[in-house]
Amino acid sequence: MGAYEKAYKESIDNPEKFWAEAATKVHWYHQWDKVLDIVNGHYRWFVGGCMNTCYNALDLHVENGRADQLALIYDSPVTDTVKKFTYRELRDRVAKTASVLVSKGVVKGDRVVIYMPMIPEAVIAMLACARIGAIHSVVFGGFAAHELATRIEDAKPRVVMSASCGIEGSRVIHYKPLLDEAIKQSSHKPTSCMIYQRPQARCNMLPWRDVDWAEAEEAASPVDCVPVDAIDPLYILYTSGTTGKPKGVIRSNGGHSVAMKWSMDNIYDVKPGDVYWAASDVGWVVGHSYIVYAPLMHGCTTILYEGKPVKTPNPGAFWRVVQDHKVNVLFAAPTAFRAIKKEDPKGEWIKKYDISSLKNVYVAGERCDTDTLHWVQDITQRKVIDHWWQTETGWAICANPMGLEELPFKPGSPTKPSPGFNVQVLDAEGKPGKPGELGNIVIKLPLPPSCLMGIWENDTRYKKSYLEHYPGYYLTGDSGYIDKDGYVWVMGRMDGVINVAGHRLSTGGMEEVVSKHPDVAECAVIGVEDQLKGELPMGFVVLRDGIVRDEEGLVAGVVQLVREEIGPVAAFKLCVVVKRLPKTRSGKILRGTMKSVADGTEWKMPATIDEPEIMDEIKEAVKKLGYPKTK
Ligand code: COA
Ligand code: AMP
């Protein structure tokens, strides 16, 4: 039996023993009393254990000989800046920022919303919350005021931490007006906002609410780590579901730390002192786990990159960063490599840089097409490890565990389930599929450490979304199959969730916004295939009776509405007016069939369709938008 098979078997046969052993790599003030406790559908790891995530990420290394090693390198081509922080420097800044939070009344269990661009203060903010046991909730900077307001309303933060602006390529995005607008829209008001003034665009401050972060930090005295329970939440991260209301995934301190440490050794095969770069954003789960927590807990140097794979300033940007900071592991979304490939198909730019430090490349966030995978492999001459995970799990459900045992690669599959994840495929009735048979991918309970503890203040939704479809199993929301060799193949979402440039978005959420337009009677939003971004949303709108409008003006209004309410990250630009939507006799919109028409994949007229001739109108409508694309 190979090392992987042995570990996997142990993790499934005796999860308590397996994870208790893994937990010895984490620093505990007090060991747990019970490894796993199950109460009313909630899985609690390391109950009774007492620890601090920030202590594990910073202080522990300062005390154990890594004080002068680099913890964080901030590389920002958009501001032409590189800043480096040792573990001691980062610990000191975090301890002072935490002190400012304490002075604003933040105590253990309070929520703090973080709405930040990719600057060191974003990492400092997260760790400062962890230091004092406050629960952070990071909101991605590409979301507009309304989305931010929804999260403020739900998380009810005492403090919001933000910055005056972000920089997208050559554009300055003013964050502060978005924050002010969000707070105006929310019925919950934070008592203070800590604002980091960036020189590229300073903002106005409200003297009764806003605090100049740098000034307050300068004047603060450092505070120590507050011991928290292993099952105390470390953070809430909102993610898209089938409706417009995002789900606040709760992650605990203890289980998360254990899984982060385990994954660094066994999946990423990195050692303390290595340089780890996740080219993601702190607003996403990849950023939480692999820009901030895992590399720091493991004593690595992490890279925070404020730039894009292309145009900042060229498609050699990634390779320049690898060379300059001697990156050992690079982790990015396939869409980032597709963007590089589009501009530099022959891989000329990589030849200009010395990437000899690079050991492996990891991809996740969306399905990785084999063309892109092979292209990255060819130009880097490195192994490309596709691994599958979700906000809800916080780490890879399936991966080639490079540190444990390198398994044979099958391009297109994220390999086999990680230890702890009992992955199965069930059909609609709950019967296990035969090898190769497509179905719902589920995980037999219990989920391993780090997976969601629940949905913030919405237990009903937690159970309904994940646990009630198949009693005893967690529903991933992805479809796929397991082949005869036990490799998992993830084919796509079963729900209305789409993946646009590695960003998880809800088509249901977009439909809610589009329906708010005064001229729109009803609408449908589907995800269509896109060569660069993987998927793009496409909207179909039906006008209210009696409304006569020029289509161009109407579409521009709808597009603007989505941009204002959800944010530019939705990339909602494809929209068309139709007379009616295709529906079943019971009134369900046939989104799946519409998608097949737009993608140009084979489709059959559904037997349940109410008026078959509508499909001709849909064909005409997608043609107007230039779909299906010729492949
Ligand atoms: N703050 C403000 N606006 C943001 C933003 C942020 N943090 N991130 C993105 N946006 C804006 C962009 O400027 C763009 O606006 P525009 O419509 O005015 O041009 C819009 O949101 C869409 O952004 P994006 O999807 O990033 O497209 P892009 O064309 O700017 O770049 C890629 C395309 C492929 C280069 C880019 O999407 C990319 O690097 N993707 C990787 C994503 C990733 O790492 N995901 C993490 C999952 S692991
Ligand atoms: P998020 O919660 O934003 O990380 O998005 C999770 C979703 O992205 C998953 O449910 C999948 O649909 C998709 N996804 C992530 N990684 C992969 C992968 N390696 N292969 C296929 N789909 C993926």
Side-chain angles (χ1 to χ4, degrees):
M1 203 188 285
Y4 162 76
E5 212 178 314
K6 186 167 171 284
Y8 186 74
K9 192 172 175 332
E10 272 172 24
S11 77
I12 302 300
D13 291 349
N14 197 345
E16 278 101 331
K17 182 167 171 281
F18 184 87
W19 291 111
E21 206 172 300
T24 57
K25 298 263 175 90
V26 168
H27 169 273
W28 300 87
Y29 299 115
H30 175 268
Q31 247 211 15
W32 54 91
D33 303 318
K34 201 166 177 197
V35 185
L36 175 63
D37 201 19
I38 306 165
V39 183
N40 190 22
H42 294 269
Y43 292 78
R44 305 280 186 253
W45 285 97
F46 310 109
V47 178
C50 193
M51 47 86 67
N52 182 285
T53 298
C54 179
Y55 181 82
N56 273 280
L58 298 176
D59 303 59
L60 186 67
H61 304 305
V62 174
E63 289 161 19
N64 288 350
R66 292 189 186 277
D68 298 318
Q69 182 202 301
L70 288 182
L72 177 73
I73 300 175
Y74 163 62
D75 187 306
S76 167
V78 294
T79 60
D80 202 13
T81 315
V82 173
K83 268 195 207 161
K84 300 182 179 182
F85 301 81
T86 63
Y87 269 96
R88 192 200 320 276
E89 286 164 345
L90 193 60
R91 193 268 320 258
D92 291 350
R93 286 213 51 198
V94 167
K96 285 178 129 203
T97 301
S99 166
V100 181
L101 287 174
V102 172
S103 75
K104 295 296 158 199
V106 178
V107 294
K108 186 174 145 214
D110 276 348
R111 272 80 58 212
V112 173
V113 161
I114 299 173
Y115 183 58
M116 298 281 287
M118 287 284 284
I119 57 174
E121 286 67 25
V123 178
I124 291 171
M126 292 164 76
L127 291 162
C129 291
R131 192 166 189 88
I132 56 173
I135 305 166
H136 62 67
S137 186
V138 183
V139 179
F140 175 61
F143 281 127
H146 178 72
E147 287 291 308
L148 177 59
T150 312
R151 287 152 173 83
I152 293 176
E153 189 84 58
D154 197 62
K156 298 182 184 57
R158 186 177 289 275
V159 170
V160 177
M161 303 173 89
S162 189
S164 54
C165 69
I167 294 145
E168 273 288 298
S170 54
R171 279 178 303 152
V172 171
I173 312 280
H174 297 273
Y175 273 42
K176 184 62 176 4
L178 297 173
L179 172 61
D180 289 343
E181 175 59 27
I183 295 175
K184 204 164 107 194
Q185 284 182 23
S186 164
S187 67
H188 171 84
K189 312 286 177 195
T191 51
S192 312
C193 294
M194 277 176 73
I195 309 293
Y196 193 81
Q197 291 278 18
R198 299 187 76 185
Q200 291 78 12
R202 293 178 67 83
C203 62
N204 290 332
M205 304 283 270
L206 301 177
W208 62 89
R209 189 197 69 190
D210 300 340
V211 179
D212 184 302
W213 182 327
E215 281 173 16
E217 190 190 317
E218 176 76 34
S221 312
V223 292
D224 256 336
C225 295
V226 172
V228 298
D229 284 345
I231 60 169
D232 279 337
L234 168 67
Y235 68 76
I236 305 166
L237 181 56
Y238 288 88
T239 190
S240 301
T242 35
T243 69
K245 193 176 170 355
K247 299 187 273 199
V249 166
I250 311 171
R251 180 143 295 123
S252 69
N253 275 277
H256 172 250
S257 301
V258 173
M260 290 298 96
K261 278 288 292 170
W262 192 89
S263 69
M264 289 306 266
D265 279 324
N266 295 284
I267 292 181
Y268 299 101
D269 191 23
V270 288
K271 308 275 167 291
D274 281 356
V275 181
Y276 190 98
W277 179 25
S280 178
D281 188 288
V282 288
W284 306 114
V285 68
V286 174
H288 280 60
S289 294
Y290 294 107
I291 295 176
V292 184
Y293 290 113
L296 294 177
M297 279 177 189
H298 208 54
C300 295
T301 302
T302 187
I303 310 276
L304 184 77
Y305 175 68
E306 188 182 30
K308 299 253 173 187
V310 290
K311 300 197 169 67
T312 59
N314 55 46
F318 270 27
W319 320 126
R320 196 267 304 156
V321 173
V322 170
Q323 168 187 277
D324 287 0
H325 308 304
K326 301 197 170 41
V327 170
N328 301 118
V329 167
L330 167 61
F331 176 173
T335 188
F337 291 115
R338 285 198 297 270
I340 300 173
K341 181 174 157 219
K342 195 168 165 221
E343 294 205 0
D344 179 24
K346 295 213 171 93
E348 297 297 343
W349 281 90
I350 199 167
K351 295 179 193 152
K352 300 178 202 275
Y353 299 97
D354 171 8
I355 63 154
S356 55
S357 58
L358 191 64
K359 258 180 23 190
N360 290 318
V361 178
Y362 287 77
V363 290
E366 57 174 326
R367 191 171 155 69
C368 185
D369 54 288
T370 45
D371 270 4
T372 305
L373 191 118
H374 287 132
W375 182 81
V376 181
Q377 233 155 21
D378 286 348
I379 65 156
T380 58
Q381 291 294 302
R382 300 294 188 279
K383 286 179 180 136
V384 179
I385 297 110
D386 177 13
H387 56 331
W388 167 55
W389 49 301
Q390 310 184 310
T391 304
E392 288 84 347
T393 62
W395 64 292
I397 307 167
C398 286
N400 201 330
M402 300 299 281
L404 189 60
E405 179 193 353
E406 183 183 321
L407 301 173
F409 283 81
K410 288 199 189 190
S413 160
T415 316
K416 293 193 180 185
S418 301
F421 288 100
N422 189 346
V423 178
Q424 303 191 11
V425 172
L426 301 179
D427 70 10
E429 275 82 50
K431 282 206 296 292
K434 294 198 189 79
E437 252 175 34
L438 193 70
N440 291 299
I441 313 186
V442 297
I443 303 165
K444 194 169 188 299
L445 298 169
L447 295 173
S450 168
C451 294
L452 80 171
M453 289 171 73
I455 296 293
W456 183 252
E457 294 199 329
N458 201 338
D459 211 33
T460 313
R461 195 167 179 199
Y462 164 63
K463 291 190 177 140
K464 198 160 170 267
S465 305
Y466 303 109
L467 304 182
E468 282 173 4
H469 292 263
Y470 299 110
Y473 297 87
Y474 162 86
L475 184 76
T476 64
D478 281 303
S479 66
Y481 62 91
I482 302 176
D483 71 15
K484 60 178 182 6
D485 302 321
Y487 281 61
V488 178
W489 298 75
V490 183
M491 306 315 285
R493 299 285 304 193
M494 303 294 282
D495 47 17
V497 170
I498 56 170
N499 220 305
V500 181
H503 310 310
R504 176 166 159 184
L505 298 161
S506 160
T507 52
M510 291 187 216
E511 288 179 1
E512 281 176 35
V513 174
V514 174
S515 312
K516 285 189 195 170
H517 192 286
D519 296 344
V520 171
E522 64 172 342
C523 71
V525 176
I526 58 169
V528 295
E529 280 173 22
D530 182 70
Q531 287 253 314
L532 174 66
K533 296 195 176 185
E535 277 185 294
L536 278 179
M538 181 183 280
F540 299 79
V541 297
V542 178
L543 299 187
R544 282 182 195 281
D545 280 351
I547 301 278
V548 185
R549 287 221 37 190
D550 70 300
E551 182 162 0
E552 209 178 306
L554 186 276
V555 164
V558 169
V559 165
Q560 187 57 23
L561 194 62
V562 176
R563 196 175 169 91
E564 275 166 19
E565 294 256 322
I566 297 177
V569 69
F572 182 82
K573 290 176 184 162
L574 298 169
C575 183
V576 67
V577 176
V578 289
K579 287 204 202 79
R580 332 168 262 182
L581 294 171
K583 291 184 186 168
T584 61
R585 274 173 226 119
S586 58
K588 270 184 109 181
I589 299 173
L590 290 159
R591 293 183 184 78
T593 315
M594 292 164 77
K595 178 176 164 51
S596 303
V597 172
D599 285 342
T601 52
E602 219 176 288
W603 62 279
K604 270 205 236 117
M605 188 67 75
T608 53
I609 194 165
D610 194 17
E611 299 169 273
E613 58 282 5
I614 300 184
M615 287 318 296
D616 291 330
E617 293 174 27
I618 296 298
K619 272 197 242 167
E620 281 308 306
V622 301
K623 211 160 133 198
K624 274 204 265 175
L625 296 171
Y627 284 78
K629 297 266 183 219
T630 41
K631 288 181 191 151

